Amino acid sequence: ATRKESLDTDLAMSVHGISKDELEVDNGQHVAESLNSISGVLIDQLSGGQGHKAAIRMPINTSGYYLYLQDNVPLQSPAFFNHNALWWSSFNSNVARMEVLKGAGTALYGSGAVAATINILSESVAQEPETNLDLMLGQDQYSKVQVSHSNKINDDNGFRISASYLSNDGWRDHTGSKRAEINLRHEFELSPNERLITSFVVSDLEQEMAASLTDELFENDPTNSGLSEEVLASDPLRKTQYMRLSSQWDKTDDDNLYSLIPYLRYRTNDYTATWNQNMPKVESQVATLGLLGLANFVHSFESESTIGFDFELTEGDQLSYQPLDFTTSGWGADTFVEGEKFYDDTTSFYSISPYIQHKRSLTENLDLTFGARYDYAKYEFDNHLGEYGDIGHGKISLENRSDSFSHLSPKASLNYHLTEQSSVYLRYANSFRIPTAGSLYHLTTKDSEEATPVDPEVSDTYELGYKTNLSSITFDAALYYMDVDDGIVHAYNNEGQRYLTNASRVIHKGVEASADWFINDEFDISLAYSKSKHTFDEDEKNAGNEMKMAPEYIANVRLRYQPTYLDGFSSMLEMQSIGEYWLDDANSSDPETGEPRKYNGYTIVNLKARYQVSSQLALYARVLNLSDKFYAQEAEYRYGKNSWSPGAPRTIYLGLNYQW
């Protein structure tokens, strides 16, 4: 929230962390296995691979409502948002902690920090020489090896090098994946009050692609890829390479903090869009130069101020073309010819965002925090297609153009300390989401060619919360209301092609609660629950309707057992459950049965255990979906039919960790 270590009761916001101990018990092969333990957080792992969708104070979606960070550095540019961005973090090789700030971010965070900010924090350099080997094996030919070594070069500087490689055939047909990653970290104490932390991350992912299933395939053959033999013959893959170099310079002067983070970032992302009937190929590469600057001044014990800025310069190349002759069927049938290009362009993106935040004590127990952030962003679009206007298949090609956006986001909160261990807060935050380059320049004939097709999206979040940390129980709750104006949502034209448009107004509201109860030395239990409602308020077609794929509730319960008679053994029984939701924004009913098109949700149980055999050796095991429940991880109604993404069956993982 502030890039400074703080007690959660001092922060007027809903922020949760997942500790190293919890991550070790989870030992997940995907970030979802840990993040889903936080109230109101649902990360959907896609087809058993490394991709994901998110539902945090939002329906399950792929839109840019979330800001993903690693060690405070954004994993991607808001101009080229990818919903899978957490696969570019170092979760598989180097992670010490994960934090989630729910709701609109503080003044430190800009476009994208609408519904949540997730920060993956890396392990620091060890004080003593340390080597760590981790090996995990699982069903469907899953394997992951991770190795890490850390050492001090001298009293002033040290390093950590971490690497991982995983391979997985996938439980569904054509869902295998391979991923390699290297993470280098160097820490240099320039002086007693000044340090420099440099990180270099490189990763390479290749993942087979599958599609959602029809009613018949879901019921009778859930392992099916959902792809035709013709498409499978082309072997649709997703390939992405990622590189990020960053240095964080921090200096303290008395109680004041000065921080600069320059960074370079590069990624490619090539895939087959299996969710479109004609399965187009998409290729892109994005390069970024960025700088994050911050200064925090403590005026007295009762007040402090933070000023800073974010700067980004990004260039992205995007290409989409037809890989094979294909004729779609059903409503809006069309014929696509191999080699046809749908877009081919370069977009340059510039942004500068100064901000200020001030905190002061009004009384002994009451703190006021207020601030504002100004975002200015500009796009320069260069179209390489050479033809403009209607290019067929319901698509429009634009001439070269530039677009700019600006927005001032005010923030304010009150935090009242009821006791030394508990607090109640009231928070308001305005946030801003710019349209991506794709939504601006990759248009269909349903969009306006003359005007900007998608306007910026502005939201206001109001939140009331309570926190308490007692000796055996911690509890927190938050009640939120988020009003999104000109919400950028997906729609479909008569040919079944997806495009983005502005809904007039969308309301998101809900309640979140979580508790940790340390029953005794052997047992403790964690509960995380949220109940929400997401409705179109003034939408032309769906006013009053609930948004699709918006679970009525999200729940996670974790019962941990650490027997005193078996030192070093810890186990966890976990229940994950989501409630029912509509399959379409129209909230329609099946004309044959009259039943509402709804999915009832699911509840699954996982079992996890870890045994620290000695100071060097640990063994662990996980059984996901313990009862082998048949369920859908996601369900949707589009293209005039139901679309199902089956959840994984019972899956067993075994592994060991060795340190020396």
Side-chain angles (χ1 to χ4, degrees):
T2 61
R3 293 193 201 138
K4 293 174 64 178
E5 188 174 272
S6 304
L7 292 172
D8 64 339
T9 49
D10 290 340
L11 298 174
M13 62 193 68
S14 181
V15 58
H16 290 260
I18 300 173
S19 68
K20 183 69 173 180
D21 290 343
E22 190 80 348
L23 290 170
E24 286 181 345
V25 175
D26 284 333
N27 212 334
Q29 61 105 347
H30 193 275
V31 290
E33 293 184 46
S34 295
L35 288 174
N36 287 346
S37 66
I38 295 176
S39 62
V41 175
L42 177 64
I43 305 294
D44 261 357
Q45 181 185 4
L46 299 178
S47 300
Q50 295 298 301
H52 62 88
K53 295 181 183 179
I56 309 174
R57 298 191 175 182
M58 285 275 174
I60 301 170
N61 71 90
T62 58
S63 300
Y65 293 108
Y66 311 107
L67 177 60
Y68 298 119
L69 313 170
Q70 179 164 352
D71 299 324
N72 303 315
V73 178
L75 290 171
Q76 62 182 339
S77 168
F80 299 91
F81 177 86
N82 188 302
H83 62 89
N84 298 303
L86 287 173
W87 65 16
W88 292 321
S89 74
S90 295
F91 172 78
N92 282 300
S93 66
N94 184 2
V95 58
R97 180 176 172 82
M98 296 193 289
E99 293 184 345
V100 179
L101 193 167
K102 290 177 286 185
T106 65
L108 275 66
Y109 303 118
S111 178
V114 175
T117 299
I118 297 179
N119 197 9
I120 307 297
L121 299 171
S122 304
E123 189 81 53
S124 60
V125 171
Q127 295 302 308
E128 300 291 336
E130 172 187 289
T131 302
N132 187 302
L133 173 67
D134 198 274
L135 176 64
M136 183 192 301
L137 300 174
Q139 292 176 263
D140 306 307
Q141 301 297 308
Y142 179 89
S143 64
K144 184 179 82 169
V145 59
Q146 184 267 337
V147 62
S148 176
H149 177 72
S150 182
N151 201 353
K152 284 278 198 176
I153 299 172
N154 54 42
D155 291 341
D156 296 328
N157 69 92
F159 69 93
R160 178 179 292 275
I161 178 170
S162 305
S164 66
Y165 178 80
L166 68 84
S167 177
N168 182 19
D169 282 355
W171 71 273
R172 289 179 63 194
D173 297 338
H174 210 264
T175 56
S177 60
K178 297 177 181 179
R179 187 178 189 277
E181 176 185 302
I182 297 176
N183 183 311
L184 306 176
R185 180 182 175 98
H186 179 260
E187 299 180 8
F188 186 16
E189 299 293 331
L190 300 171
S191 69
N193 63 342
E194 187 177 6
R195 68 173 184 168
L196 184 68
I197 300 175
T198 301
S199 297
F200 181 63
V201 178
V202 179
S203 66
D204 187 290
L205 169 67
E206 179 177 292
Q207 182 169 296
E208 294 177 326
M209 301 193 68
S212 54
L213 302 181
T214 61
D215 291 334
E216 182 181 358
L217 284 176
F218 178 65
E219 291 293 335
N220 301 315
D221 186 13
T223 64
N224 195 288
S225 68
L227 303 175
S228 68
E229 292 299 324
E230 186 179 21
V231 172
L232 281 172
S234 70
D235 192 21
L237 299 173
R238 183 189 289 272
K239 298 181 180 182
T240 175
Q241 296 177 325
Y242 187 80
M243 182 278 291
R244 187 180 69 256
L245 174 65
S246 64
S247 286
Q248 179 167 340
W249 170 79
D250 290 337
K251 182 176 182 178
T252 56
D253 180 11
D254 294 328
D255 291 328
N256 301 327
L257 169 68
Y258 305 92
S259 178
L260 281 176
I261 309 177
Y263 63 91
L264 291 171
R265 192 176 56 214
Y266 173 81
R267 63 91 168 158
T268 65
N269 189 25
D270 304 337
Y271 59 90
T272 299
T274 57
W275 49 90
N276 288 341
Q277 293 189 67
N278 59 306
M279 309 283 178
K281 288 276 191 179
V282 178
E283 298 176 1
S284 67
Q285 57 182 8
V286 179
T288 296
L289 168 66
L291 179 62
L292 311 175
L294 175 149
N296 177 263
F297 304 99
V298 178
H299 309 297
S300 66
F301 179 75
E302 294 83 12
S303 68
E304 64 179 78
S305 298
T306 300
I307 60 172
F309 68 91
D310 295 349
F311 169 78
E312 179 184 322
L313 170 60
T314 294
E315 184 172 283
D317 294 313
Q318 299 184 95
L319 169 68
S320 177
Y321 61 93
Q322 185 63 29
L324 59 132
D325 294 340
F326 194 83
T327 299
T328 60
S329 59
W331 186 32
D334 198 357
T335 297
F336 297 83
V337 178
E338 179 181 353
E340 284 186 286
K341 288 185 178 181
F342 307 119
Y343 54 79
D344 181 7
D345 50 64
T346 298
T347 303
S348 298
F349 172 76
Y350 316 84
S351 71
I352 181 70
S353 305
Y355 58 84
I356 184 169
Q357 187 164 282
H358 180 70
K359 178 181 179 181
R360 66 178 298 109
S361 295
L362 300 180
T363 68
E364 183 179 356
N365 295 324
L366 181 62
D367 296 330
L368 168 66
T369 301
F370 58 91
R373 178 186 180 95
Y374 178 75
D375 286 276
Y376 175 80
K378 184 176 182 180
Y379 289 90
E380 295 283 352
F381 173 70
D382 183 10
N383 192 343
H384 308 313
L385 272 186
E387 62 176 308
Y388 309 109
D390 189 341
I391 58 173
H393 310 297
K395 297 185 180 297
I396 286 177
S397 175
L398 296 177
E399 296 188 29
N400 297 348
R401 57 188 276 183
S402 63
D403 296 278
S404 61
F405 305 94
S406 61
H407 183 71
L408 180 68
S409 305
K411 326 266 184 175
S413 64
L414 289 168
N415 191 50
Y416 184 76
H417 288 269
L418 300 168
T419 66
E420 289 185 1
Q421 295 83 24
S422 62
S423 63
V424 61
Y425 67 86
L426 180 65
R427 182 169 183 252
Y428 164 76
N430 178 275
S431 57
F432 169 68
R433 180 167 80 102
I434 59 173
T436 63
S439 62
L440 280 172
Y441 306 123
H442 303 158
L443 308 183
T444 76
T445 51
K446 292 281 285 186
D447 300 304
S448 167
E449 185 180 356
E450 302 300 326
T452 301
V454 180
D455 294 323
E457 183 172 301
V458 179
S459 67
D460 293 298
T461 296
Y462 306 86
E463 185 175 329
L464 175 65
Y466 169 77
K467 306 174 186 179
T468 185
N469 299 306
L470 304 177
S471 58
S472 61
I473 296 177
T474 65
F475 174 80
D476 70 83
L479 184 68
Y480 69 88
Y481 177 96
M482 182 164 62
D483 176 342
V484 178
D485 254 337
D486 287 329
I488 304 173
V489 299
H490 285 121
Y492 297 87
N493 62 20
N494 292 335
E495 287 71 44
Q497 296 160 333
R498 189 171 72 173
Y499 66 98
L500 293 177
T501 187
N502 292 103
S504 298
R505 190 165 180 246
V506 183
I507 304 296
H508 308 271
K509 55 187 177 182
V511 60
E512 301 161 344
S514 62
D516 294 302
W517 179 23
F518 302 93
I519 302 171
N520 54 41
D521 291 339
E522 293 189 329
F523 290 96
D524 65 87
I525 188 170
S526 298
L527 303 103
Y529 179 83
S530 66
K531 187 177 178 65
S532 59
K533 194 168 185 178
H534 311 273
T535 56
F536 294 100
D537 188 56
E538 298 173 358
D539 183 70
E540 182 179 339
K541 293 176 60 178
N542 301 311
N545 290 353
E546 294 185 37
M547 300 183 75
K548 67 179 179 181
M549 302 179 72
E552 179 187 15
Y553 72 84
I554 302 171
N556 184 278
V557 180
R558 294 182 160 204
L559 176 64
R560 302 174 191 85
Y561 176 50
Q562 298 173 313
T564 54
Y565 62 82
L566 187 58
D567 189 40
F569 181 82
S570 57
S571 61
M572 177 197 298
L573 186 67
E574 177 188 42
M575 184 275 292
Q576 174 77 27
S577 180
I578 72 166
E580 69 174 15
Y581 55 77
W582 287 98
L583 300 183
D584 63 355
D585 289 332
N587 295 178
S588 63
S589 298
D590 189 314
E592 295 183 4
T593 65
E595 294 292 324
R597 287 195 172 99
K598 280 189 172 184
Y599 175 49
N600 292 328
Y602 61 85
T603 300
I604 58 172
V605 176
N606 306 316
L607 181 62
K608 307 174 183 181
R610 180 183 176 90
Y611 181 33
Q612 192 73 42
V613 180
S614 67
S615 59
Q616 291 182 306
L617 178 64
L619 305 175
Y620 52 83
R622 291 164 30 248
V623 185
L624 304 184
N625 192 2
L626 184 63
S627 65
D628 201 22
K629 183 180 180 67
F630 176 68
Y631 71 102
Q633 189 168 0
E634 291 182 9
E636 189 178 3
Y637 178 78
R638 62 189 183 97
Y639 297 137
K641 58 186 178 182
N642 292 327
S643 173
W644 304 92
S645 297
R650 181 192 297 119
T651 310
I652 300 174
Y653 298 91
L654 301 172
L656 62 84
N657 176 269
Y658 190 76
Q659 298 184 37
W660 66 94

